[in-house]
Amino acid sequence: MNLCFSLIVFALITRCLCQQKALLKHLFEDYRKELRPIKHKNSGPTNVTVQLYFKQIQKIEENDQILTLYCWLEEYWLDEFLTWNPADFDGLEEIHVPADMVWKPDLLVYNNANMNVKDNEMQTNVLVQHTGRISLFRAIITDVTCDLDMQRFPYDQQICFIMLASWSYDGSQIMLQVADPPTPDTFSNKTNLASLVHYIPNMEWDLVDFKYKSNLKFYDCCPYPYPDISYFFAIKRNASYYLFTLIIPSAFITIVTVVGFFTPHSSTGENTEKVSLGVTALLSLAIILMMVSDKLPATSNSVPLLGQYYIGLILIMFAATYCTTYTLSVQMRGNAGKAIPRNLRQWILKLNSKMLLVRWIFGRELENAQQSIKMRMKKFDKLTALKKNFARDCVLLQKLFIHADQRIESAMPIEELRCDHRSPTNDAVLNGILSELLASVKSIRQDLIVHEHLRMVRKEWQMVARMLEKILMLIFAVFTFVFAVIMLYDDQELPVITDLIMSEKGRAR
């Protein structure tokens, strides 16, 4: 039984192969694949039905404005020379033959950026039915050009298209149509949901709209129009990658820099290292800006949003660095020993520290500045009084020494007085020593007073610089936050492909 069954199967396969060979010889004995498959001149154009499956957006090169797309393409047409009667060939109704054996419409991607079509296209066999209907299945990876608008990068939205048309046949020879149910308006804006059946989502780009439109375009060279089918798709960039790799790190750099600019503490006491911090932060943002610029087209007519954001951050840091140098110059004024101006001193003394906002902003600095000014003014009054009474103090001290000297002389015996009797020369020496002693005491006291005065003046200017830094820190923090919110807030609506957009894109191609 097994042997009989095997013989029957072998006979059927052999018969089928024989029938296919006979059919292949019958179809292609006088067939010319170079000619359009029509038997009569009045047969009209060859209707080619196209079904595009938008498979995947593989890559987008912003610098070159090129999109790499992976698509499946199905083409159906009628070949009048490839027909037969199935009864003559043992009921054989269809046959698969290599695609190079039959005539094919030269359907190309008109906006293709890579002319090596055969290297990026795969086609195997065609299905030939007994009615002459040809089915061709192609898989293509094509690079299409697209006018990318990078003004809102990384929140940009793009509308691109892929246009299919015959390169050499006009509308009188080939007419293209989409594999959709017929509608009254053939050349209209429609959504082909079948094209997205096999779509694989891209991790960076979201496909938000997909439509197609059939066109008839006239050229100056030819009297007949050239039909084409343009598939438009709208995509929106997912900005999460740039948010976590570029925006958030730069935001942290800006926050650390602004806080470091206006911190009240320093290792040197003069906060000179703030300038170094500002220069380092500016270099960091410049490097990040260079990284962003590599993603942008070199011929962009406008600065992208992310580039504007980084330029704004650089300007903010530049202004903060300049303000830091100004606050340092204010603090250094105390080294000269010059007291703060009278108007500023009166404003500080009159500023009410009981107010909650003032206490929260200035707090300890205002209290220390007021206390230092009051103490310095009291010591200045005492120093003035001492200067006025210094001559009188010197006279009184001299009289005290003379009176003490007289009492010593009166208490000594007459013999000793005779032996140690003071001469006018001894009195002059004593007066000189006393004067030098008084001058030394005066100089030491004045040095101590001047040193204390300089210390108090430095402290006052330091407190003024601290209050100024707090005001600037609040201003820069609020401005930086508002700037970031305004620049990075995405209020765009999802793009919708309209007839007007497709007409503008069609004129641009």
PDB file of all heavy atoms in Angstrom, residues 447-470:
ATOM      1  N   ASP A 447      46.504 103.015  66.730  1.00  0.00           N
ATOM      2  CA  ASP A 447      46.570 101.835  65.857  1.00  0.00           C
ATOM      3  C   ASP A 447      45.474 100.840  66.189  1.00  0.00           C
ATOM      4  O   ASP A 447      44.846 100.250  65.283  1.00  0.00           O
ATOM      5  CB  ASP A 447      47.939 101.174  65.983  1.00  0.00           C
ATOM      6  CG  ASP A 447      49.037 102.011  65.355  1.00  0.00           C
ATOM      7  OD1 ASP A 447      48.703 102.890  64.544  1.00  0.00           O
ATOM      8  OD2 ASP A 447      50.223 101.780  65.686  1.00  0.00           O
ATOM      9  N   LEU A 448      45.249 100.640  67.473  1.00  0.00           N
ATOM     10  CA  LEU A 448      44.177  99.716  67.862  1.00  0.00           C
ATOM     11  C   LEU A 448      42.815 100.228  67.417  1.00  0.00           C
ATOM     12  O   LEU A 448      41.980  99.463  66.923  1.00  0.00           O
ATOM     13  CB  LEU A 448      44.204  99.508  69.380  1.00  0.00           C
ATOM     14  CG  LEU A 448      45.416  98.737  69.928  1.00  0.00           C
ATOM     15  CD1 LEU A 448      45.355  98.703  71.467  1.00  0.00           C
ATOM     16  CD2 LEU A 448      45.458  97.324  69.384  1.00  0.00           C
ATOM     17  N   ILE A 449      42.610 101.528  67.573  1.00  0.00           N
ATOM     18  CA  ILE A 449      41.319 102.100  67.163  1.00  0.00           C
ATOM     19  C   ILE A 449      41.147 102.028  65.652  1.00  0.00           C
ATOM     20  O   ILE A 449      40.074 101.686  65.136  1.00  0.00           O
ATOM     21  CB  ILE A 449      41.216 103.559  67.673  1.00  0.00           C
ATOM     22  CG1 ILE A 449      41.146 103.575  69.201  1.00  0.00           C
ATOM     23  CG2 ILE A 449      39.987 104.241  67.083  1.00  0.00           C
ATOM     24  CD1 ILE A 449      41.174 104.970  69.791  1.00  0.00           C
ATOM     25  N   VAL A 450      42.245 102.341  64.919  1.00  0.00           N
ATOM     26  CA  VAL A 450      42.160 102.267  63.452  1.00  0.00           C
ATOM     27  C   VAL A 450      41.938 100.835  62.989  1.00  0.00           C
ATOM     28  O   VAL A 450      41.144 100.577  62.071  1.00  0.00           O
ATOM     29  CB  VAL A 450      43.440 102.857  62.836  1.00  0.00           C
ATOM     30  CG1 VAL A 450      43.493 102.570  61.341  1.00  0.00           C
ATOM     31  CG2 VAL A 450      43.503 104.352  63.073  1.00  0.00           C
ATOM     32  N   HIS A 451      42.619  99.872  63.592  1.00  0.00           N
ATOM     33  CA  HIS A 451      42.431  98.471  63.232  1.00  0.00           C
ATOM     34  C   HIS A 451      41.000  98.019  63.516  1.00  0.00           C
ATOM     35  O   HIS A 451      40.380  97.320  62.693  1.00  0.00           O
ATOM     36  CB  HIS A 451      43.433  97.608  64.010  1.00  0.00           C
ATOM     37  CG  HIS A 451      43.321  96.146  63.699  1.00  0.00           C
ATOM     38  ND1 HIS A 451      43.760  95.605  62.511  1.00  0.00           N
ATOM     39  CD2 HIS A 451      42.800  95.113  64.430  1.00  0.00           C
ATOM     40  CE1 HIS A 451      43.513  94.311  62.493  1.00  0.00           C
ATOM     41  NE2 HIS A 451      42.943  93.986  63.654  1.00  0.00           N
ATOM     42  N   GLU A 452      40.484  98.420  64.644  1.00  0.00           N
ATOM     43  CA  GLU A 452      39.091  98.067  64.964  1.00  0.00           C
ATOM     44  C   GLU A 452      38.125  98.743  64.008  1.00  0.00           C
ATOM     45  O   GLU A 452      37.139  98.149  63.553  1.00  0.00           O
ATOM     46  CB  GLU A 452      38.787  98.471  66.405  1.00  0.00           C
ATOM     47  CG  GLU A 452      37.372  98.136  66.876  1.00  0.00           C
ATOM     48  CD  GLU A 452      37.124  96.647  66.967  1.00  0.00           C
ATOM     49  OE1 GLU A 452      38.116  95.874  66.981  1.00  0.00           O
ATOM     50  OE2 GLU A 452      35.950  96.248  67.027  1.00  0.00           O
ATOM     51  N   HIS A 453      38.431 100.009  63.682  1.00  0.00           N
ATOM     52  CA  HIS A 453      37.581 100.722  62.730  1.00  0.00           C
ATOM     53  C   HIS A 453      37.599 100.035  61.360  1.00  0.00           C
ATOM     54  O   HIS A 453      36.552  99.858  60.726  1.00  0.00           O
ATOM     55  CB  HIS A 453      38.074 102.169  62.622  1.00  0.00           C
ATOM     56  CG  HIS A 453      37.347 102.969  61.577  1.00  0.00           C
ATOM     57  ND1 HIS A 453      36.074 103.459  61.760  1.00  0.00           N
ATOM     58  CD2 HIS A 453      37.723 103.352  60.320  1.00  0.00           C
ATOM     59  CE1 HIS A 453      35.682 104.109  60.685  1.00  0.00           C
ATOM     60  NE2 HIS A 453      36.672 104.062  59.790  1.00  0.00           N
ATOM     61  N   LEU A 454      38.796  99.630  60.899  1.00  0.00           N
ATOM     62  CA  LEU A 454      38.899  98.943  59.610  1.00  0.00           C
ATOM     63  C   LEU A 454      38.171  97.610  59.634  1.00  0.00           C
ATOM     64  O   LEU A 454      37.516  97.238  58.654  1.00  0.00           O
ATOM     65  CB  LEU A 454      40.371  98.751  59.258  1.00  0.00           C
ATOM     66  CG  LEU A 454      40.678  98.090  57.900  1.00  0.00           C
ATOM     67  CD1 LEU A 454      40.115  98.921  56.768  1.00  0.00           C
ATOM     68  CD2 LEU A 454      42.175  97.894  57.730  1.00  0.00           C
ATOM     69  N   ARG A 455      38.271  96.892  60.727  1.00  0.00           N
ATOM     70  CA  ARG A 455      37.570  95.614  60.835  1.00  0.00           C
ATOM     71  C   ARG A 455      36.061  95.818  60.782  1.00  0.00           C
ATOM     72  O   ARG A 455      35.343  95.046  60.110  1.00  0.00           O
ATOM     73  CB  ARG A 455      37.966  94.920  62.128  1.00  0.00           C
ATOM     74  CG  ARG A 455      37.467  93.479  62.250  1.00  0.00           C
ATOM     75  CD  ARG A 455      37.848  92.887  63.584  1.00  0.00           C
ATOM     76  NE  ARG A 455      37.112  93.536  64.650  1.00  0.00           N
ATOM     77  CZ  ARG A 455      35.866  93.190  65.022  1.00  0.00           C
ATOM     78  NH1 ARG A 455      35.246  92.219  64.384  1.00  0.00           N
ATOM     79  NH2 ARG A 455      35.272  93.812  66.008  1.00  0.00           N
ATOM     80  N   MET A 456      35.580  96.836  61.460  1.00  0.00           N
ATOM     81  CA  MET A 456      34.141  97.100  61.444  1.00  0.00           C
ATOM     82  C   MET A 456      33.676  97.533  60.053  1.00  0.00           C
ATOM     83  O   MET A 456      32.604  97.132  59.592  1.00  0.00           O
ATOM     84  CB  MET A 456      33.807  98.175  62.474  1.00  0.00           C
ATOM     85  CG  MET A 456      34.143  97.801  63.917  1.00  0.00           C
ATOM     86  SD  MET A 456      33.204  96.373  64.512  1.00  0.00           S
ATOM     87  CE  MET A 456      31.576  97.077  64.604  1.00  0.00           C
ATOM     88  N   VAL A 457      34.495  98.342  59.377  1.00  0.00           N
ATOM     89  CA  VAL A 457      34.123  98.776  58.020  1.00  0.00           C
ATOM     90  C   VAL A 457      34.093  97.588  57.065  1.00  0.00           C
ATOM     91  O   VAL A 457      33.185  97.456  56.232  1.00  0.00           O
ATOM     92  CB  VAL A 457      35.103  99.852  57.522  1.00  0.00           C
ATOM     93  CG1 VAL A 457      34.906 100.122  56.036  1.00  0.00           C
ATOM     94  CG2 VAL A 457      34.905 101.126  58.309  1.00  0.00           C
ATOM     95  N   ARG A 458      35.093  96.705  57.172  1.00  0.00           N
ATOM     96  CA  ARG A 458      35.088  95.495  56.339  1.00  0.00           C
ATOM     97  C   ARG A 458      33.852  94.645  56.596  1.00  0.00           C
ATOM     98  O   ARG A 458      33.244  94.116  55.661  1.00  0.00           O
ATOM     99  CB  ARG A 458      36.348  94.681  56.611  1.00  0.00           C
ATOM    100  CG  ARG A 458      37.621  95.266  56.018  1.00  0.00           C
ATOM    101  CD  ARG A 458      38.801  94.390  56.376  1.00  0.00           C
ATOM    102  NE  ARG A 458      40.036  94.890  55.777  1.00  0.00           N
ATOM    103  CZ  ARG A 458      41.228  94.357  55.987  1.00  0.00           C
ATOM    104  NH1 ARG A 458      41.339  93.284  56.796  1.00  0.00           N
ATOM    105  NH2 ARG A 458      42.301  94.850  55.411  1.00  0.00           N
ATOM    106  N   LYS A 459      33.505  94.521  57.846  1.00  0.00           N
ATOM    107  CA  LYS A 459      32.335  93.719  58.190  1.00  0.00           C
ATOM    108  C   LYS A 459      31.065  94.330  57.619  1.00  0.00           C
ATOM    109  O   LYS A 459      30.181  93.618  57.121  1.00  0.00           O
ATOM    110  CB  LYS A 459      32.232  93.593  59.712  1.00  0.00           C
ATOM    111  CG  LYS A 459      31.109  92.694  60.181  1.00  0.00           C
ATOM    112  CD  LYS A 459      31.107  92.557  61.685  1.00  0.00           C
ATOM    113  CE  LYS A 459      29.973  91.648  62.157  1.00  0.00           C
ATOM    114  NZ  LYS A 459      29.949  91.529  63.633  1.00  0.00           N
ATOM    115  N   GLU A 460      30.968  95.658  57.667  1.00  0.00           N
ATOM    116  CA  GLU A 460      29.780  96.326  57.119  1.00  0.00           C
ATOM    117  C   GLU A 460      29.676  96.107  55.611  1.00  0.00           C
ATOM    118  O   GLU A 460      28.609  95.770  55.089  1.00  0.00           O
ATOM    119  CB  GLU A 460      29.838  97.814  57.447  1.00  0.00           C
ATOM    120  CG  GLU A 460      29.674  98.116  58.931  1.00  0.00           C
ATOM    121  CD  GLU A 460      29.950  99.568  59.240  1.00  0.00           C
ATOM    122  OE1 GLU A 460      30.053 100.356  58.271  1.00  0.00           O
ATOM    123  OE2 GLU A 460      30.045  99.919  60.426  1.00  0.00           O
ATOM    124  N   TRP A 461      30.793  96.300  54.885  1.00  0.00           N
ATOM    125  CA  TRP A 461      30.767  96.083  53.446  1.00  0.00           C
ATOM    126  C   TRP A 461      30.495  94.610  53.116  1.00  0.00           C
ATOM    127  O   TRP A 461      29.836  94.301  52.123  1.00  0.00           O
ATOM    128  CB  TRP A 461      32.093  96.507  52.824  1.00  0.00           C
ATOM    129  CG  TRP A 461      32.209  97.987  52.623  1.00  0.00           C
ATOM    130  CD1 TRP A 461      33.033  98.841  53.273  1.00  0.00           C
ATOM    131  CD2 TRP A 461      31.472  98.775  51.682  1.00  0.00           C
ATOM    132  NE1 TRP A 461      32.862 100.130  52.821  1.00  0.00           N
ATOM    133  CE2 TRP A 461      31.912 100.102  51.829  1.00  0.00           C
ATOM    134  CE3 TRP A 461      30.493  98.496  50.744  1.00  0.00           C
ATOM    135  CZ2 TRP A 461      31.400 101.159  51.075  1.00  0.00           C
ATOM    136  CZ3 TRP A 461      29.975  99.538  49.983  1.00  0.00           C
ATOM    137  CH2 TRP A 461      30.423 100.850  50.153  1.00  0.00           C
ATOM    138  N   GLN A 462      31.008  93.710  53.946  1.00  0.00           N
ATOM    139  CA  GLN A 462      30.742  92.289  53.727  1.00  0.00           C
ATOM    140  C   GLN A 462      29.264  91.983  53.898  1.00  0.00           C
ATOM    141  O   GLN A 462      28.675  91.239  53.111  1.00  0.00           O
ATOM    142  CB  GLN A 462      31.573  91.455  54.694  1.00  0.00           C
ATOM    143  CG  GLN A 462      31.462  89.949  54.452  1.00  0.00           C
ATOM    144  CD  GLN A 462      32.342  89.147  55.389  1.00  0.00           C
ATOM    145  OE1 GLN A 462      32.951  89.710  56.297  1.00  0.00           O
ATOM    146  NE2 GLN A 462      32.402  87.857  55.176  1.00  0.00           N
ATOM    147  N   MET A 463      28.628  92.583  54.908  1.00  0.00           N
ATOM    148  CA  MET A 463      27.204  92.365  55.104  1.00  0.00           C
ATOM    149  C   MET A 463      26.392  92.965  53.950  1.00  0.00           C
ATOM    150  O   MET A 463      25.404  92.390  53.501  1.00  0.00           O
ATOM    151  CB  MET A 463      26.760  92.976  56.438  1.00  0.00           C
ATOM    152  CG  MET A 463      27.341  92.303  57.679  1.00  0.00           C
ATOM    153  SD  MET A 463      26.925  90.552  57.816  1.00  0.00           S
ATOM    154  CE  MET A 463      28.491  89.803  57.377  1.00  0.00           C
ATOM    155  N   VAL A 464      26.825  94.116  53.460  1.00  0.00           N
ATOM    156  CA  VAL A 464      26.139  94.720  52.305  1.00  0.00           C
ATOM    157  C   VAL A 464      26.262  93.812  51.083  1.00  0.00           C
ATOM    158  O   VAL A 464      25.294  93.609  50.334  1.00  0.00           O
ATOM    159  CB  VAL A 464      26.723  96.119  52.025  1.00  0.00           C
ATOM    160  CG1 VAL A 464      26.169  96.677  50.714  1.00  0.00           C
ATOM    161  CG2 VAL A 464      26.395  97.067  53.163  1.00  0.00           C
ATOM    162  N   ALA A 465      27.458  93.249  50.881  1.00  0.00           N
ATOM    163  CA  ALA A 465      27.649  92.330  49.747  1.00  0.00           C
ATOM    164  C   ALA A 465      26.790  91.085  49.906  1.00  0.00           C
ATOM    165  O   ALA A 465      26.235  90.575  48.921  1.00  0.00           O
ATOM    166  CB  ALA A 465      29.128  91.951  49.638  1.00  0.00           C
ATOM    167  N   ARG A 466      26.656  90.586  51.145  1.00  0.00           N
ATOM    168  CA  ARG A 466      25.819  89.399  51.366  1.00  0.00           C
ATOM    169  C   ARG A 466      24.353  89.702  51.061  1.00  0.00           C
ATOM    170  O   ARG A 466      23.648  88.886  50.443  1.00  0.00           O
ATOM    171  CB  ARG A 466      25.967  88.923  52.809  1.00  0.00           C
ATOM    172  CG  ARG A 466      27.359  88.425  53.181  1.00  0.00           C
ATOM    173  CD  ARG A 466      27.679  87.156  52.434  1.00  0.00           C
ATOM    174  NE  ARG A 466      29.013  86.686  52.784  1.00  0.00           N
ATOM    175  CZ  ARG A 466      30.114  86.996  52.150  1.00  0.00           C
ATOM    176  NH1 ARG A 466      30.063  87.809  51.097  1.00  0.00           N
ATOM    177  NH2 ARG A 466      31.285  86.513  52.518  1.00  0.00           N
ATOM    178  N   MET A 467      23.864  90.844  51.490  1.00  0.00           N
ATOM    179  CA  MET A 467      22.478  91.210  51.193  1.00  0.00           C
ATOM    180  C   MET A 467      22.273  91.381  49.691  1.00  0.00           C
ATOM    181  O   MET A 467      21.252  90.964  49.142  1.00  0.00           O
ATOM    182  CB  MET A 467      22.107  92.490  51.941  1.00  0.00           C
ATOM    183  CG  MET A 467      21.979  92.307  53.453  1.00  0.00           C
ATOM    184  SD  MET A 467      21.311  93.748  54.313  1.00  0.00           S
ATOM    185  CE  MET A 467      22.715  94.840  54.222  1.00  0.00           C
ATOM    186  N   LEU A 468      23.245  91.994  49.028  1.00  0.00           N
ATOM    187  CA  LEU A 468      23.141  92.149  47.577  1.00  0.00           C
ATOM    188  C   LEU A 468      23.145  90.791  46.881  1.00  0.00           C
ATOM    189  O   LEU A 468      22.410  90.567  45.903  1.00  0.00           O
ATOM    190  CB  LEU A 468      24.297  93.015  47.090  1.00  0.00           C
ATOM    191  CG  LEU A 468      24.315  93.359  45.598  1.00  0.00           C
ATOM    192  CD1 LEU A 468      23.078  94.140  45.227  1.00  0.00           C
ATOM    193  CD2 LEU A 468      25.574  94.158  45.258  1.00  0.00           C
ATOM    194  N   GLU A 469      23.954  89.857  47.358  1.00  0.00           N
ATOM    195  CA  GLU A 469      23.999  88.518  46.761  1.00  0.00           C
ATOM    196  C   GLU A 469      22.679  87.790  46.917  1.00  0.00           C
ATOM    197  O   GLU A 469      22.229  87.087  46.012  1.00  0.00           O
ATOM    198  CB  GLU A 469      25.131  87.709  47.399  1.00  0.00           C
ATOM    199  CG  GLU A 469      26.520  88.110  46.926  1.00  0.00           C
ATOM    200  CD  GLU A 469      27.603  87.356  47.649  1.00  0.00           C
ATOM    201  OE1 GLU A 469      27.279  86.707  48.676  1.00  0.00           O
ATOM    202  OE2 GLU A 469      28.764  87.392  47.200  1.00  0.00           O
ATOM    203  N   LYS A 470      22.032  87.945  48.075  1.00  0.00           N
ATOM    204  CA  LYS A 470      20.739  87.286  48.280  1.00  0.00           C
ATOM    205  C   LYS A 470      19.689  87.849  47.333  1.00  0.00           C
ATOM    206  O   LYS A 470      18.868  87.107  46.768  1.00  0.00           O
ATOM    207  CB  LYS A 470      20.301  87.441  49.726  1.00  0.00           C
ATOM    208  CG  LYS A 470      21.033  86.527  50.689  1.00  0.00           C
ATOM    209  CD  LYS A 470      20.340  86.467  52.027  1.00  0.00           C
ATOM    210  CE  LYS A 470      20.977  85.411  52.926  1.00  0.00           C
ATOM    211  NZ  LYS A 470      20.276  85.284  54.220  1.00  0.00           N
TER     212      LYS A 470
END
